[in-house]
Each structure stands twice: as C-alpha cells, then as structure tokens.
Amino acid sequence: MAGGSILGNRVQRKEDPKFLTAGGEYADDLKDPRLDGAAQVVYVRSAVAHGTIEAIDIAGALDMPGVIAVHTAESLGLEPIASPFNPAAARTLLASDKVRYVGEPVAAVVAETWQQAADAAEMVFVDVEFLPTHIDLEAALASDSLIYEAAGSNAVFDTTALGMPENTDADEYFADCEVTVTGRFMNQRVAPCPLEVRASAAMWDEGRLVQWISSQGAQGAKAAFIAANGGDADAVHLITPDVGGGFGAKIDSYPEELLLGPIAKLLGRPVRWRETRSESMMNLGHGRGQLQYITIGGTREGKVTHYQLRAIQDAGAFVGMGTILAPFFTRPMASGVYDIPNIECRTTSVVTNTTPTTAYRGAGRPEATAAIERAMDMFALEIGKDPAEVRRMNLIAKFMEPHTTSIGQTYDVGDFEGALDKALDTAGYADLRAEQQARRESGDAKQLGIGVSVYVEITGGVDPKQEAAKLEVHDDGTATVYTGTSPHGQGHETVWAMLAHDETGIPMDKITLVWGDTDLVPSGGGTMGSRSLQQGGAAVHQGAIELVEKAQELAAQLLEADVADIVLDKDNGAFHVAGTPAVAKSWAELAVASRQQGNELTIDTLFVADMATFPFGAHIAVVEVDTDTGQVKHLRQVACDDAGRVINPLLLDGQIHGGIAQGTAQALLEEVRYDEDGNPITSNLADYGMISSAELPSFEVVHMETPTFVNPLGAKGIGESGTIGSTPAVQSAVVDAVSHLGVKHIDMPATAERVWQAIQAAH
C-alpha cells in the first residue's frame, strides 16, 4: 500500500494456503526421522469414579502380542504432587492410592503399535474398593465423604469480595431496596472439543528430552516437564507444531504428556501417544461448571443499587487451574458494565468426581457476565420495564480514563452505552418488539424472543503482562520474527507480518514467523486470555521500530551521513539520505554489512504493559420458540464487539464469528453430563451437542473502535469477546420468548425438552 499503512485493512491470511492444500503438521503427523521406530503408548483409565485402589494386575497385558512394558505409578517411582492452590490435595500423575474420576490414567501400556497397546490395555485389571461418588456440587460441599481426606473438606478454595461488613445478614444488606429478585443459575460444564485431540511424541538426545506437544504455549509448559523429568531447564526442549484448536484446555500440561519422557528414558527409544475422541471428551479439561446464586435489588424505577453473587465452582477431580481461574476472573468482573454502588461476590471451589476443569474460552468472564445479565433481565421483568432500558439507566457512563468499579476493578476505557445503541439500532429493536407483541396477541405457537446483553471483559490480565519478540533480517532481505505467542487458528502469521511490514517495508511474503520452540524462543507467555495482539503483537511492533532505528544507524555509517538524515523508503525497502533517494542501502545490503562487522541485523525486545485491557460490547439475539414443542431456532445475532484499534478486520470478524458460535452452542446445546455413579454419558460427538452451521444464523457484526492507552497499537483482545456477549443474549432471548407465559428463567442449555418443561411448569 504505497504511501499508507497496511494496518486496519482486510488482509487475507498467510496461513490459509497451507492449511487448505497440503494441510498442517500436527503432533500425530510428525515425520521427524528421530522418531523412527517409536513405540506407542496407551493409557489404562479408571472405569470407576471414586474408589481406593486395592491392586493393579498387569500380568495379562504383559503377555499380549507386541507389548514392551506396562508401567504404574510404582514402577515409574512417581511421588505425590501437591496442588499449589491447596497443598493438602496431592496426587500422583498415574493414580496410585485412589481413583477420582472415570477416565483418570492408572497405568501406561507400551507396545510396538497403537492397536497392540490398546488391546493390551483392556487386559489390565484395576481392583477398586468403591467410595461415595460426588457429582452434584452442593452435595459434595455438604458431604463428610472427602475426595482428598487431607484437605478436610471438598471445598478447596475460596475468594471473597465484600460489599458489606462481615457477618451482615443478607436481608439487612438489601433492606433499603424497593425490589429484590433472587435466582439460581447453572453455568453448565462444557467440553472444549478441539478438532485436533491431544497427541505427543518424546525422545532423548544425548541426555536431553526433546518432546513435541499440542499446546497453547510451549514456554509456559516447560516447568512441568522439567519437574516430571528432573534436570535443569537446558535438559528439556519442547516443540509445538501446528495446533488444531485449544480453547484454553491446551494451556495445561497433562499426565499423559508428562509421563512420555520418563517412559522413553526407561525404554531407550522414542515413544508416541495420541488420544481418541472419547478419551479427549473424558480427559481434556472441561470448562465452566459454575453454580450461581444471585440477589439483585434496587428501585421500582429501575436503578440497581445492590448485587450479590455467590458462585460455587466445580473444580472436578483435581485441584488445578479450574479451581482458581474462573473464580479469579468472575469476582472482579462481577459488576460487569453497571454502576452498582453495593456489590458482594463470594466464590467457593469444590472438588467432584468428574473430569478436572480448566481454562475455557473466557474463563470466568463469561460466567460473571451471564450472572449479571440474567439478573438484570429478571429485575427488569419484575418491575415491568424493557430490559434494554433498564440496562441503559444502570450503565457506567462513557470514560476515556481509568474507571474503578465498586468491587475494585479498574477498567481502561469504555463507551458501553455507545455499543448498546449501535447494536439496538442495527437490530431494529423497536420493530422487533412490535413483531413480538403482534405474535403474542395472535396466539401464534411460534413466539419471538429478543435477548440483550452488554458486557465488558478483562484481557491480557495474567501476570506478567509482557511479551518478548525477536526480529532478524537475513542476507537476502527476508526477515524472521520470533514470538512467544503460539497460534492455533488466530492468524498470527498474518498479523505479525503486517506489523513488521508496516514499520520496515519488508514485504509480508518475505517475513517468516517462528514460535513454539523453546530452543529458538526461550521465553513467552503463550496464547491465552486474549493477550496475543496487545502484548505479543505490541512486542513485534516495538521490535520493528527498534530494528529500523538500528538499521538507520548502520545506513548512516555506510552512507557517511548523520543518522538524523537517514530515512526509510518503505515502498522500496531502502534507506537513503533525505533528498537523495538514488543512493540507498537495502535491507539485504545492510544485513550483509552487519554480518561482515561481526553482528547479525537483529533486535531482541520486551514489551511490558502497565495493566490489562477491557474490551466491551453489546449483543442482540433473536430466536423463535415453538411453544408446542420447546424447539428453539436462532434467527439473528447482532454483535458489537469493541476491541480497540482493529489491525485486520477480516481476522476480527473471524474471531467474533467463532466466539458467537461457541457462545450460542453453550446457550442452546452443549452440556457435559454424568450419571449418578459418575459415568460420563456425553463422551463422544454422537451424544454431546456440538453446534454446526445448520443451527446458526448469519452474524451481523457492527464495528466500533475505542482505542486503549495501554499499548501503542491501541488494541485490546477479541478472541473471547464473541463468546462472552452471545451466550447471555441467546439464553435471555429464549426466556423472553416465553416470559409472557410465566417463565422467568431457563437454565442452559435451552434444549427443546428444557424449554417445554419450563412452559408446562409455568401453566
């Protein structure tokens, strides 16, 4: 783009030709010759949700064809690992004293082929003495039967943000409210379902572990692999090839990957492992799983003055990331976009005999938004006012400087009413309400529902809020960008090249991105929490500026001029003295000259942010509900997601589309379920309600940009916003469609059966 910036333009993705033709190279596809002759590992998994292990019989498996070894916690010498969030909750990577959920790894079978290992795994018999099974959160919280006896309770973590003095009675807290509404909401457990299930390969090279993992951040995973294999940081080399989706669940390091190094060392040859889809559904960390009790109070005119949220978080069977991450973000974001003077939020994390929970797209922010948005709807219904207007009168006023809420969270910039107005105008809100009224008056079985949500979320908020980048120019004028973020569908190759090109003028097709290799990129924060562009991208942008400055100094030396007089002609990718463009030095010439002086033309930089950023927006969902059957049809979704300055609108829209699909899926279809004995009954894609394009409308994206001051790009995160805004809007639309029949709330997912039952119960 001669004379202008490429930033802000709809640039096609550099990644797509590879993925659409030859395809990516994923962990299970590796052709590295160092893995030739690798043995295959299959894990024996518990068929019991909770019980004491009496014995593990591996004799039958050892006699099976092709079997090389069968390992247990004892044979591998595994010691209990204490949870950093509750040291009393300790476990071994392979279950040893007891099993805590169906699917927990108990033993590892190593064989020449995967099929031989899978067959032999069926011959390992685990003798378990049954213990009471806890699936229900409140029952687990009240039970004396403990999943971790040393913890003294099934409640393993608490956080509190008080909006009233300790021990104040709730009735007293809401005493001045003219209207109060209470609710019990279940933000149900969901499975991440990445297209690529987990796989890994490991080998030892002269005493050094080399392992390939499907991960959202190889650098962040390294500490766990060092701990599992011993030695120092230099003894572990992790590589992340292409990753087919993560959604938060691939941030964690799991026993199945961590044990491959020790197994390969004992075996003296490489090993490989991959899970089946059913194993993935049972063992890849689940998301959400938060039971919410809310009370909201205020005036009959619609002003909300008090809000109380008590969240009980399902940690699953392990006290891991899911124990603290969702509560950690739910609590500070409890007030959402609203100016509520009195707020209290309490969270309690509870272990259950289910798959451990972990990060899942939004992690705590969607839960907080779902709670306050449902609360606002119920409050509006109670006082008989339009839910959009009740929201409007309670919104925090527009601010372009930091604003701190009554719960203590500081937002950067926000224009919540502006986002709401844009979404309502695009949706034609008044016309939709008129059509809804006409259908109600006609007695039509198919009723229209309109759902409104306004949200704010925190992105890039996990410490340390920083990212490194390295930029290197080669003798042929091409460049390599090294980044600590790790793409799995976000479009980093495109945007990082855009950012580098915009400052250097080096063509995008001559810029290569390197990520996910701890030898080539030793430090990095990975890709999670919508941090990549605002921290990783900002680092590339900063590094490109510094690279140009370094090149200007070298060009000044070669052209025998003052550095202040050296300018970069980005259209031609050459440096010259101002006013004399005919005599210039190209990037290639500068790279050669730098190397001849004993230096590479390279820059290492670190971008540090002072705070998180807070994207916001508003969604309008329109659904049609058949009141005879409860069937829901999603007709429209209007999304105004403000992520600050937009670098590539094409990628922005893609992230919003994916988020809306995922949020709608939770609202209408997805739910991980267990029977009373802890057996998963949604352990494959035939039983689990995955959404497809057939269930989704075309999305109407409304653009709005409110740049942040937190980074030079003015950019905020977008990867999770669509999920956060869409879920409560769709859920509220379903309830709204049948509210005239007396229905006040329907828990997600709003399946036809659940909607029909709510209608019948209201009669």
Side-chain angles (χ1 to χ4, degrees):
M1 299 192 61
S5 173
I6 195 173
L7 305 185
N9 289 280
R10 297 179 71 86
V11 177
Q12 295 292 320
R13 285 165 44 104
K14 289 181 61 178
E15 300 90 334
D16 287 350
K18 178 186 78 169
F19 288 117
L20 294 173
T21 54
E25 183 180 51
Y26 303 95
D28 195 42
D29 304 326
L30 295 169
K31 303 297 191 294
D32 194 300
R34 291 176 292 178
L35 295 173
D36 291 347
Q40 301 288 328
V41 177
V42 168
Y43 287 94
V44 179
R45 300 184 181 280
S46 175
V48 176
H50 194 202
T52 303
I53 297 175
E54 300 294 321
I56 303 174
D57 184 355
I58 64 173
L62 288 171
D63 290 337
M64 293 289 286
V67 171
I68 302 167
V70 180
H71 287 293
T72 63
E74 182 179 6
S75 68
L76 291 174
L78 301 181
E79 296 292 333
I81 301 170
S83 165
F85 312 120
N86 189 323
R91 62 180 179 88
T92 47
L93 291 178
L94 290 176
S96 52
D97 59 336
K98 65 192 299 192
V99 292
R100 294 180 171 88
Y101 73 98
V102 171
E104 182 176 2
V106 179
V109 176
V110 189
E112 295 293 345
T113 69
W114 184 89
Q115 190 59 59
Q116 289 172 333
D119 289 343
E122 297 289 331
M123 301 302 294
V124 175
F125 295 96
V126 184
D127 184 9
V128 176
E129 182 70 26
F130 290 87
L131 292 171
T133 300
H134 300 302
I135 303 301
D136 181 83
L137 278 170
E138 291 170 300
L141 189 58
S143 179
D144 292 329
S145 173
L146 305 183
I147 295 174
Y148 292 91
E149 287 80 5
S153 170
N154 288 324
V156 290
F157 189 80
D158 290 276
T159 70
T160 301
L162 287 174
M164 60 183 180
E166 191 74 52
N167 300 320
T168 300
D169 184 82
D171 290 338
E172 182 181 346
Y173 185 57
F174 289 93
D176 294 334
C177 296
E178 296 175 354
V179 178
T180 59
V181 182
T182 61
R184 180 187 186 275
F185 310 146
M186 187 65 213
N187 203 292
Q188 82 275 25
R189 173 186 285 250
V190 293
C193 298
L195 189 61
E196 180 210 17
V197 297
R198 287 176 301 154
S200 186
M203 52 88 64
W204 289 85
D205 183 9
E206 298 182 353
R208 191 167 187 247
L209 174 68
V210 181
Q211 186 160 350
W212 293 260
I213 56 174
S214 182
S215 170
Q216 292 177 225
Q219 293 81 7
K222 192 170 179 178
F225 283 85
I226 294 169
N229 290 276
D232 57 24
D234 291 336
V236 174
H237 177 199
L238 297 182
I239 304 167
T240 298
D242 291 319
V243 174
F247 307 114
K250 289 182 182 177
I251 300 171
D252 266 335
S253 298
Y254 295 81
E256 294 94 336
E257 297 117 335
L258 294 171
L259 292 171
L260 293 186
I263 291 171
K265 179 177 279 189
L266 287 171
L267 192 63
R269 61 190 277 196
V271 296
R272 303 181 74 142
W273 164 78
R274 65 173 171 86
E275 64 183 354
T276 65
R277 176 59 64 181
S278 290
E279 284 181 302
S280 180
M281 295 294 288
M282 290 191 297
N283 292 275
L284 183 60
H286 292 164
R288 310 290 188 254
Q290 192 178 97
L291 177 61
Q292 302 168 335
Y293 284 93
I294 67 97
T295 304
I296 187 169
T299 70
R300 292 203 172 274
E301 290 302 310
K303 178 59 181 174
V304 175
T305 58
H306 291 71
Y307 177 60
Q308 187 180 64
L309 169 64
R310 185 195 175 204
I312 305 176
Q313 177 65 45
D314 191 347
F318 297 162
V319 185
M321 190 186 297
T323 306
I324 62 103
L325 190 62
F328 178 76
F329 283 117
T330 297
R331 181 191 57 76
M333 301 308 294
S335 60
V337 295
Y338 303 111
D339 184 15
I340 305 173
N342 302 288
I343 299 181
E344 180 199 52
C345 180
R346 299 174 184 263
T347 74
T348 301
S349 296
V350 180
V351 285
T352 58
N353 296 120
T354 59
T355 299
T357 57
T358 189
Y360 179 79
R361 201 168 189 170
R365 288 93 84 198
E367 292 90 325
T369 302
I372 188 63
E373 290 301 285
R374 285 300 304 131
M376 293 297 290
D377 272 345
M378 293 179 70
F379 185 75
L381 185 65
E382 182 69 19
I383 63 176
K385 288 187 176 291
D386 183 271
E389 289 310 307
V390 171
R391 283 171 168 80
R392 185 189 305 280
M393 67 187 299
N394 286 286
L395 290 173
I396 298 169
K398 181 177 179 179
F399 56 97
M400 292 296 107
E401 295 180 353
H403 172 86
T404 301
T405 67
S406 60
I407 207 166
Q409 180 63 63
T410 300
Y411 301 160
D412 53 353
V413 294
D415 182 8
F416 307 143
E417 186 171 6
L420 176 61
D421 286 342
K422 279 179 172 286
L424 291 173
D425 290 345
T426 301
Y429 187 71
D431 292 338
L432 289 172
R433 287 296 180 196
E435 181 184 349
Q436 179 186 61
Q437 187 59 33
R439 289 200 191 194
R440 289 180 175 180
E441 291 173 355
S442 70
D444 194 331
K446 294 185 177 179
Q447 289 293 313
L448 199 68
I450 305 119
V452 181
S453 74
V454 190
Y455 74 92
V456 62
E457 67 142 328
I458 181 172
T459 63
V462 177
D463 288 327
K465 302 177 183 68
Q466 63 184 42
E467 191 57 75
K470 176 183 175 182
L471 288 80
E472 182 176 0
V473 181
H474 309 292
D475 290 0
D476 59 359
T478 62
T480 300
V481 174
Y482 299 83
T483 179
T485 63
S486 188
H488 41 276
Q490 292 84 356
H492 291 189
E493 289 190 61
T494 301
V495 177
W496 277 215
M498 289 175 65
L499 291 166
H501 163 76
D502 196 59
E503 294 296 333
T504 66
I506 299 173
M508 284 182 59
D509 60 1
K510 292 187 177 182
I511 299 173
T512 301
L513 186 67
V514 172
W515 75 90
D517 186 313
T518 59
D519 275 9
L520 298 176
V521 187
S523 64
T527 295
M528 60 202 72
S530 300
R531 68 182 296 275
S532 291
L533 177 60
Q534 61 182 299
Q535 291 170 5
V540 172
H541 172 259
Q542 178 175 288
I545 293 172
E546 293 171 359
L547 182 65
V548 169
E549 292 172 350
K550 183 174 183 178
Q552 284 173 320
E553 293 176 0
L554 180 57
Q557 175 189 333
L558 298 176
L559 294 172
E560 299 181 346
D562 192 295
V563 68
D565 295 329
I566 300 296
V567 295
L568 169 61
D569 182 348
K570 294 181 183 178
D571 291 338
N572 297 317
F575 294 82
H576 61 82
V577 178
T580 57
V583 181
K585 294 293 182 181
S586 68
W587 278 107
E589 290 172 319
L590 292 176
V592 171
S594 182
R595 187 167 50 79
Q596 289 173 343
Q597 295 179 4
N599 300 303
E600 300 294 332
L601 186 49
T602 183
I603 281 289
D604 284 281
T605 194
L606 179 70
F607 172 77
V608 180
D610 292 332
M611 62 180 292
T613 63
F614 295 81
F616 60 89
H619 282 225
I620 310 297
V622 183
V623 304
E624 185 178 75
V625 175
D626 188 327
T627 55
D628 290 335
T629 65
Q631 185 65 45
V632 178
K633 184 177 181 181
H634 191 186
L635 301 178
R636 293 178 66 191
Q637 187 77 22
V638 177
C640 178
D641 295 294
D642 190 317
R645 184 187 180 198
V646 176
I647 305 301
N648 187 332
L650 180 71
L651 298 184
L652 176 91
D653 289 353
Q655 288 289 313
I656 293 171
H657 287 192
I660 292 173
Q662 211 155 354
T664 299
Q666 182 182 2
L668 298 180
L669 292 171
E670 293 192 39
E671 183 178 27
V672 173
R673 298 175 62 197
Y674 295 86
D675 68 18
E676 61 183 11
D677 295 320
N679 298 304
I681 55 178
T682 51
S683 59
N684 56 60
L685 296 182
D687 297 324
Y688 186 79
M690 279 285 288
I691 204 162
S692 72
S693 58
E695 289 81 40
L696 293 167
S698 294
F699 307 135
E700 302 167 59
V701 176
V702 184
H703 289 287
M704 178 173 172
E705 296 185 41
T706 308
T708 181
F709 54 81
V710 175
N711 61 74
L713 297 175
K716 297 180 276 190
I718 189 58
E720 296 155 310
S721 293
T723 311
I724 295 168
S726 63
T727 307
V730 174
Q731 182 186 18
S732 290
V734 175
V735 178
D736 181 66
V738 294
S739 62
H740 65 296
L741 302 176
V743 176
K744 294 185 177 181
H745 177 71
I746 302 172
D747 265 334
M748 299 184 292
T751 60
E753 178 184 13
R754 190 166 283 174
V755 174
W756 183 85
Q757 288 176 338
I759 294 171
Q760 302 311 305
H763 282 171

